[in-house]
């Protein structure tokens, strides 16, 4: 049993140790810590702490009508990981959206970047127009797409009727709805790839291209043998960042389909949102959010390792 | 060079293009450009046209010539809409000021120093950049609620700063990496403090890049939807959420919703047209 005097002793010793450590840090280290202190404080308070609270909630039986929060261990995790909707609809949708939007935006963005790398009349107009989808809110983009693809009154429906197809109700079916979601996401993100790849193209050295021209290499050959290898690091970083962000897509899906028809186009973020704010089950929603975060952390890590091996982006 | 040899060698795009007469190449270019413009401008144009139609003429968009500005007047007559515009404007401005203020120093640190502290901070940023928003915004609702800041400016402002920290620190590091540090070393040798070297030497050279990021930051906050959906109620409703609510029991009021969307698109269009050069500089990775 420690006496109060001894406790005081320990406390003062600890304080002295801390003080010594802080002075031992040196003014350079203190300057470094001071520079990141505000950012770190906000990050901890409004990102780290909520994640911990969410992790805590995910182990509890916590509904709006039953806010006691009894500890139930891994029950929510077990439920979600055996929920057929999560396993066979939400996860495939999320990864399909991620893969489709990244692959298509990358290819189309590369084509657009090459087009914009030429000089032609109207160059500035095209660049301005393709910047627009990046600048407007995803919600607005999704709203205009929802209206464009409205299956009764939209422009596309009108056009299809004019061509000779009859009345169709594609919004009542899974794949056409999901295709519209993918199209919207590609529409928003193709310009991003295009503008970044354009900047990268412009910064490439000219000599290899001149050498290729002297050797009479065709355009396609020049592209696959010179442009692509030199752009690899940029492409690698773009794909990694976009994949991570595509995993958490919410706005477009929420506005376009709301996860419907009959939850068939739900993606991970929508699933967590619906569990929490529609079914009003904080515990289960938090568990879903944690599971999703863990999945993307693992996937992003694997992607980083793969892309790094292919392109040396960590150099 | 005939078209036949060009067809035999699929790898030679240049020769294939040469095989087309100059007029044909021109036509191809014009067609491609036309398709691109149509594709990327089309949805926005449809929105603008819809916003100018009277309510009864919204359907069957390709017919009729009845146009009106009534929708805009009607949208602006709603206090909720005006309120949302003010809210979004205030929030975007405050969030930009604070997130830049916090991340300039953080990016500078990442750019100028080596060792365990920057490495740890960089790892933290990478890690939290990857965590999906929904994973920390769901519990943030509880945090806001218990702190009593749910549906206040502070309650939505702080998460917006937090979300920008990882991304902006990263971009700021890139900005400072592009600035030669030798001037700062010279200032240090001449007796300047570290803070002085940062504030008087490094910071002024980074201002153009930071301006670009400020414009983007403002737009990101203006455009944001998920935080606004979860963390705001009646008091601090944002435009994106208010716009998504033009849905009544009779269905979506497309003419009003479009008018609101066009208005909300305003800043984006202004930036695209007038600040394009800056924005493209800020859109780096």
């Amino acid at each position: 049993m420690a006496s109060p005097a001894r406790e005081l002793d320990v406390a003062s010793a600890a304080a002295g140790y801390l003080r010594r450590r802080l002075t031992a840090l040196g003014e350079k280290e203190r300057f470094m810590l001071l520079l990141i202190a505000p950012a770190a404080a906000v990050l901890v308070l409004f990102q780290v702490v909520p994640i911990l609270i969410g992790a805590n909630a995910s182990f509890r039986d916590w509904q709006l009508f039953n806010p006691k929060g009894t500890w139930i261990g891994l029950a929510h995790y077990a439920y979600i990981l055996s929920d057929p909707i999560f396993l066979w609809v939400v996860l495939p949708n999320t990864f399909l959206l991620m893969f489709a939007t990244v692959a298509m935006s990358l290819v189309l963005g590369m084509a657009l970047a090459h087009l914009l790398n030429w000089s032609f009349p109207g160059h500035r107009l095209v660049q301005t127009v393709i910047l627009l989808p990046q600048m407007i809110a995803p919600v607005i983009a999704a709203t205009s797409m929802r209206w464009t693809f409205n299956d009764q009154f939209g422009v596309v429906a009108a056009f299809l009727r004019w061509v000779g197809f009859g009345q169709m109700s594609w919004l009542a079916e899974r794949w056409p709805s999901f295709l519209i979601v993918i199209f919207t996401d590609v529409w928003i993100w193709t310009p991003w790839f295009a503008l970044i790849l354009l900047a990268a193209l412009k910064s490439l050295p000219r000599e290899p291209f001149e050498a290729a021209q002297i050797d009479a290499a065709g355009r396609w050959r020049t592209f696959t043998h010179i442009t692509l290898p030199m752009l690899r690091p940029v492409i690698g970083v773009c794909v990694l960042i976009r994949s991570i962000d595509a995993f958490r897509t919410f706005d477009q899906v929420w506005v376009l389909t709301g996860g419907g028809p009959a939850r068939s186009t739900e993606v991970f973020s929508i699933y967590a949102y619906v569990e929490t704010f529609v079914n009003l089950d904080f515990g289960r929603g938090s568990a879903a959010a944690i599971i999703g975060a863990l999945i993307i952390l693992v996937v992003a890590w694997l992607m980083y390792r793969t892309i790094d091996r292919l392109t040396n982006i960590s150099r | 060079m005939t078209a036949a040899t060009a067809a035999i060698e699929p790898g030679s795009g240049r020769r294939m293009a040469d095989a087309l007469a100059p007029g044909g190449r021109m036509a191809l270019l014009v067609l491609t450009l036309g398709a691109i413009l149509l594709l990327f401008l089309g949805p926005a144009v449809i929105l603008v046209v819809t916003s100018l139609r009277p309510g009864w003429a919204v359907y069957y968009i390709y017919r009729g010539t009845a146009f009106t500005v009534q929708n805009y007047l009607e949208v602006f007559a709603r206090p909720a809409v005006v309120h949302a515009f003010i809210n979004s404007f205030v929030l975007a401005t405050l969030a930009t000021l604070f997130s830049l203020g916090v991340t300039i120093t953080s990016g500078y640190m990442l750019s100028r120093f080596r060792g365990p502290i920057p490495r740890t901070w960089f790892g933290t940023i990478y890690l939290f950049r990857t965590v999906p928003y929904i994973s920390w915004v769901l519990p943030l609702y509880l945090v806001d609620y218990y702190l009593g800041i749910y549906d206040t400016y502070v309650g939505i402002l702080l998460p917006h700063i937090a979300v920008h920290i990882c991304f902006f620190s990263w971009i700021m590091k890139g900005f400072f990496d592009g600035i030669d540090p030798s001037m700062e070393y010279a200032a240090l040798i001449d007796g300047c403090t570290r803070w002085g070297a940062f504030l008087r030497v490094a910071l002024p050279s980074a201002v153009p890049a930071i301006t670009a990021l400020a414009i983007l930051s403002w737009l990101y906050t203006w455009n944001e939807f998920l935080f606004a959906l979860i963390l705001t109620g009646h008091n601090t409703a944002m435009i994106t959420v208010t716009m998504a609510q033009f849905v009544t029991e009779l269905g979506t009021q497309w003419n009003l919703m479009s008018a609101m969307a066009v208005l909300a698109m305003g800043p984006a269009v202004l930036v695209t047209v007038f600040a394009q050069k800056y924005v493209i500089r800020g859109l780096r990775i």
Side-chain angles (χ1 to χ4, degrees):
Chain A
M1 203 67 171
S3 66
R6 192 173 150 67
E7 269 177 21
L8 208 70
D9 239 28
V10 172
S12 73
Y17 175 75
L18 253 181
R19 203 177 311 120
R20 265 197 314 280
R21 275 309 291 262
L22 273 177
T23 34
L25 272 176
E27 64 95 29
K28 186 179 163 192
E29 280 75 13
R30 263 179 286 152
F31 179 64
M32 279 153 78
L33 289 178
L34 214 60
L35 284 177
I36 59 166
V42 179
L43 189 74
V44 167
L45 276 178
F46 285 87
Q47 211 166 347
V48 181
V49 168
I51 290 171
L52 294 178
I53 292 176
N56 176 32
S58 71
F59 296 116
R60 291 171 188 278
D61 184 17
W62 191 339
Q63 289 141 10
L64 185 71
F65 305 109
N66 177 23
K68 282 201 296 286
T70 335
W71 183 273
I72 54 164
L74 290 170
H76 286 314
Y77 290 86
Y79 172 86
I80 289 166
L81 290 177
S82 60
D83 181 3
I85 289 190
F86 185 74
L87 286 182
W88 308 118
V89 179
V90 173
L91 278 186
N93 278 350
T94 310
F95 281 106
L96 183 64
L97 178 65
M98 183 169 150
F99 178 77
T101 175
V102 172
M104 282 155 74
S105 325
L106 175 64
V107 172
L108 294 175
M110 183 66 93
L112 261 181
H114 274 80
L115 183 74
L116 287 172
N117 204 21
W118 290 343
S119 62
F120 52 84
H123 180 281
R124 211 186 127 80
L125 177 70
V126 174
Q127 188 162 323
T128 308
V129 166
I130 68 161
L131 189 59
L132 195 65
Q134 258 296 290
M135 294 293 109
I136 65 176
V139 180
I140 296 178
T143 303
S144 79
M145 288 295 178
R146 198 172 124 211
W147 184 220
T148 306
F149 286 100
N150 185 301
D151 52 6
Q152 279 179 291
F153 307 113
V155 174
V156 173
F159 177 75
L160 287 179
R161 264 202 301 278
W162 180 70
V163 170
F165 293 93
Q167 179 71 44
M168 287 183 287
S169 50
W170 53 73
L171 292 181
E173 287 171 52
R174 177 182 183 183
W175 293 114
S177 308
F178 201 61
L179 217 60
I180 294 171
V181 171
I182 291 175
F183 178 81
T184 307
D185 214 48
V186 171
W187 187 81
I188 294 173
W189 287 101
T190 298
W192 185 79
F193 278 99
L195 293 170
I196 287 177
L197 292 173
L198 176 64
L201 274 180
K202 284 197 168 143
S203 70
L204 292 182
R206 304 195 60 82
E207 292 81 16
F209 292 99
E210 283 160 9
Q213 205 165 18
I214 290 166
D215 291 344
R219 284 248 167 96
W220 180 250
R221 209 154 237 276
T222 313
F223 174 70
T224 51
H225 283 69
I226 299 175
T227 318
L228 266 189
M230 287 203 291
L231 284 181
R232 254 198 230 156
V234 179
I235 296 174
V237 175
C238 276
V239 166
L240 185 65
I241 294 179
R242 245 332 273 156
S243 304
I244 291 170
D245 287 351
F247 184 84
R248 62 167 170 75
T249 309
F250 179 87
D251 305 12
Q252 297 92 301
V253 191
W254 186 248
V255 170
L256 279 167
T257 69
R263 304 189 76 177
S264 63
T265 59
E266 252 181 42
V267 292
F268 153 69
S269 292
I270 304 265
Y271 181 84
Y273 181 86
V274 166
E275 284 297 338
T276 311
F277 289 105
V278 179
N279 299 343
L280 295 171
D281 191 332
F282 274 111
R284 196 171 287 164
S286 301
I290 298 271
I291 290 174
L294 292 177
I295 290 175
I296 188 60
L297 280 174
V298 172
V299 171
W301 172 246
L302 293 176
M303 281 187 72
Y304 176 76
R305 293 300 299 270
T306 318
I307 290 174
D308 189 32
R309 187 165 300 164
L310 292 175
T311 67
N312 294 321
I313 49 175
S314 64
R315 239 184 327 140
Chain B
M1 184 62 55
T2 63
T5 50
I8 292 165
E9 295 171 295
S12 54
R14 189 162 53 104
R15 272 168 265 173
M16 217 154 81
D18 286 344
L20 294 169
R25 288 177 68 178
M26 192 64 188
L28 194 67
L29 182 69
V30 168
L31 272 180
T32 316
L33 295 183
I36 291 171
L37 292 182
L38 186 73
L39 193 63
F40 285 104
L41 210 52
V45 170
I46 290 170
L47 217 52
V48 173
V49 171
T50 309
S51 76
L52 290 170
R53 300 284 253 174
W56 52 266
V58 162
Y59 307 106
Y60 309 109
I61 195 167
Y62 51 97
R63 261 187 239 155
T65 50
F67 287 101
T68 172
V69 291
Q70 188 60 39
N71 298 321
Y72 288 92
L73 300 177
E74 198 170 321
V75 162
F76 259 124
R78 295 188 182 197
V81 171
V82 180
H83 196 54
F85 269 95
I86 295 171
N87 282 339
S88 278
F89 184 86
V90 171
L91 178 77
T93 310
L94 289 179
T96 302
L97 286 178
F98 283 104
S99 24
L100 289 181
V102 166
T103 49
I104 286 171
T105 55
S106 154
Y108 179 72
M109 194 281 251
L110 287 174
S111 164
R112 288 295 184 264
F113 294 102
R114 298 282 168 273
I117 301 178
R119 220 179 307 130
T120 315
W121 181 234
F122 207 55
T124 315
I125 283 173
Y126 260 109
L127 181 70
F128 285 100
R129 173 81 173 74
T130 310
V131 176
Y133 293 171
I134 194 95
S135 302
W136 51 281
V137 178
L138 285 186
L140 203 52
Y141 172 78
L142 296 177
V143 174
D144 268 14
Y145 208 83
Y146 285 118
L147 289 178
I149 54 172
Y150 170 74
D151 201 15
T152 66
Y153 278 134
V154 180
I156 179 101
L157 177 64
L158 287 167
H160 265 295
I161 301 172
V163 76
H164 286 158
I165 280 176
C166 302
F167 187 37
F168 287 6
S169 297
W170 201 354
I171 293 181
M172 290 282 187
K173 175 189 183 303
F175 290 163
F176 284 111
D177 281 346
I179 297 169
D180 186 8
S182 57
M183 289 290 282
E184 290 153 55
Y185 297 142
L188 282 177
I189 291 167
D190 287 347
C192 203
T193 59
R194 286 185 187 279
W195 278 107
F198 164 58
L199 290 172
R200 292 193 197 149
V201 183
L203 195 56
S205 339
V207 164
I210 293 173
T211 312
L213 189 58
I215 297 173
L216 281 176
S217 164
W218 197 91
L219 270 184
Y220 289 153
T221 318
W222 178 266
N223 290 343
E224 207 283 327
F225 180 65
L226 181 61
F227 291 14
L229 183 66
I230 293 178
L231 299 176
T232 66
H234 273 296
N235 292 329
T236 53
M238 300 289 150
I239 44 158
T240 43
V241 175
T242 311
M243 190 197 79
Q245 282 167 348
F246 275 100
V247 183
T248 61
E249 56 274 24
L250 295 172
T252 309
Q253 296 169 297
W254 283 106
N255 53 330
L256 300 180
M257 198 161 169
S258 306
M260 174 115 189
V262 171
L263 289 171
M265 224 158 59
V269 174
L270 287 180
V271 166
T272 312
V273 175
F274 295 111
Q276 199 185 111
K277 211 170 68 190
Y278 285 99
V279 167
I280 290 176
R281 192 185 328 181
L283 266 188
R284 56 163 84 192
I285 40 172

